[in-house]
Amino acid sequence: MAESSTGTSGSIESRDNECPICLDVLPPESWRGDERARTLCCGALVCQECVSTLNGHARKVVQNLESDMARGEVTVNQARIDEINSLIASNRCPMCRTNLPTTEQERFALVQKNVEQHPDWVWPLYKLGKYYEIGCGCPKDLKKSMTYYKKAAERGDAKAQHEMGNLYSFGKGVAKSTQDAMHWYTLASNQGFALSQQALGDIYYNQRKYDEAFRLFSIASDQGLDLAQCNLAFCYENGHGVAPSLEKSIYWNKKAAEQGNTTAMANYGGNIM
């Protein structure tokens, strides 16, 4: 129904930052990006729980109505049931009733349309950059990807800033530049984006600036990022940026291992043997 997206200005999301379906306050978005979802048609920002339960709830309503009718307990216009079933079958947006995209090409077209028609919206700029990067509904084009990432990044989108850092860090569509990568990672890191804190920590660690690396790994670890937790455990094990502590190294390796980090699993096993 919708795709995960960062919160940005200019969409039809509630002014009070509420989910327009359940009216609960939208949960803050983490580096996982799975707490909220955005419809690509009208840009509504809704909580992921509503996305997951909406169709199931609608089907249950229909089933209950049909059951009550069969028992003669309630009289319901069959046309109304048909209307609800039609909405479910058509997979229409619960907010604007637009037919939702079913192919990559349709998703790309919707995002591109939003970029053109809503210049004040930031989220479709990031999304279009991602589509061009991975070739979703369009040919891969790293130049265009960078163009849209940069537009979103310059307007404060943390995910886009992180992606700009990745492009420079890995030399994707642009010459590698640690300095430029650090610039964009720092902007996203300052907004609390754990993936950028981890990436920036890696750069500082490789520069032997262990104090700053440890600080960034710690912040990202507290947000549950397993890679940062694994790196934090390594810092504690080797006394990089912090006093050595096998106990804390075991603790953070265990945290990362519980999330499926295979390096941490091996390290944790080595710690306790």
Side-chain angles (χ1 to χ4, degrees):
M1 185 185 85
E3 298 198 10
S4 297
S5 176
T6 53
T8 52
S9 62
S11 71
I12 67 169
E13 64 193 77
S14 169
R15 293 176 183 175
D16 295 326
N17 206 29
E18 295 176 343
C19 172
I21 297 176
C22 66
L23 302 184
D24 285 344
V25 175
L26 286 165
E29 186 171 42
S30 74
W31 58 272
R32 294 182 177 87
D34 59 1
E35 297 84 4
R36 307 170 170 193
R38 192 184 295 279
T39 59
L40 299 182
C41 43
C42 58
L45 189 62
V46 300
C47 68
Q48 194 71 308
E49 186 174 352
C50 283
V51 173
S52 302
T53 61
L54 187 63
N55 281 349
H57 174 71
R59 290 189 178 90
K60 186 175 181 180
V61 168
V62 172
Q63 291 169 358
N64 289 341
L65 286 174
E66 290 177 334
S67 178
D68 291 344
M69 288 177 64
R71 293 194 302 268
E73 296 178 2
V74 64
T75 301
V76 180
N77 188 336
Q78 183 63 42
R80 178 56 178 158
I81 292 180
D82 292 341
E83 182 183 354
I84 297 174
N85 273 322
S86 176
L87 177 59
I88 297 171
S90 67
N91 195 33
R92 282 186 282 168
C93 173
M95 303 305 301
C96 69
R97 295 300 190 262
T98 299
N99 287 336
L100 294 171
T102 58
T103 66
E104 291 184 351
Q105 289 73 22
E106 289 176 354
R107 286 192 285 272
F108 175 82
L110 273 178
V111 172
Q112 190 174 47
K113 180 180 178 181
N114 278 326
V115 167
E116 295 169 354
Q117 294 187 353
H118 301 283
D120 56 324
W121 288 8
V122 179
W123 69 266
L125 294 172
Y126 165 78
K127 187 67 71 177
L128 198 57
K130 176 59 69 176
Y131 284 179
Y132 273 121
E133 181 185 5
I134 64 178
C136 179
C138 61
K140 286 186 179 181
D141 191 325
L142 291 178
K143 295 292 185 183
K144 288 183 178 179
S145 175
M146 187 172 189
T147 295
Y148 288 106
Y149 277 151
K150 188 174 183 181
K151 287 181 179 181
E154 289 175 338
R155 293 170 63 178
D157 188 289
K159 280 188 175 180
Q161 291 168 347
H162 179 72
E163 295 296 348
M164 286 293 294
N166 283 343
L167 292 179
Y168 279 112
S169 181
F170 298 105
K172 296 177 63 176
V174 67
K176 282 188 178 182
S177 172
T178 300
Q179 181 177 354
D180 286 327
M182 292 181 72
H183 167 74
W184 291 109
Y185 283 148
T186 298
L187 290 178
S189 178
N190 289 343
Q191 295 196 66
F193 196 62
L195 292 175
S196 284
Q197 291 164 345
Q198 155 60 33
L200 192 58
D202 264 344
I203 293 174
Y204 279 121
Y205 189 91
N206 290 333
Q207 295 176 344
R208 298 184 179 276
K209 297 179 180 178
Y210 298 135
D211 289 349
E212 186 61 13
F214 174 82
R215 184 186 73 84
L216 289 164
F217 291 152
S218 297
I219 298 172
S221 293
D222 288 339
Q223 296 182 59
L225 182 57
D226 61 295
L227 183 55
Q229 292 170 343
C230 185
N231 286 337
L232 188 62
F234 189 80
C235 287
Y236 274 116
E237 181 179 354
N238 294 279
H240 289 166
V242 66
S245 171
L246 181 59
E247 179 182 359
K248 290 181 179 179
S249 178
I250 292 174
Y251 172 84
W252 286 111
N253 270 325
K254 185 173 184 291
K255 283 280 190 180
E258 288 172 346
Q259 297 190 68
N261 188 295
T262 54
T263 301
M265 291 178 187
N267 291 341
Y268 179 65
N271 286 152
I272 63 178
M273 287 181 68

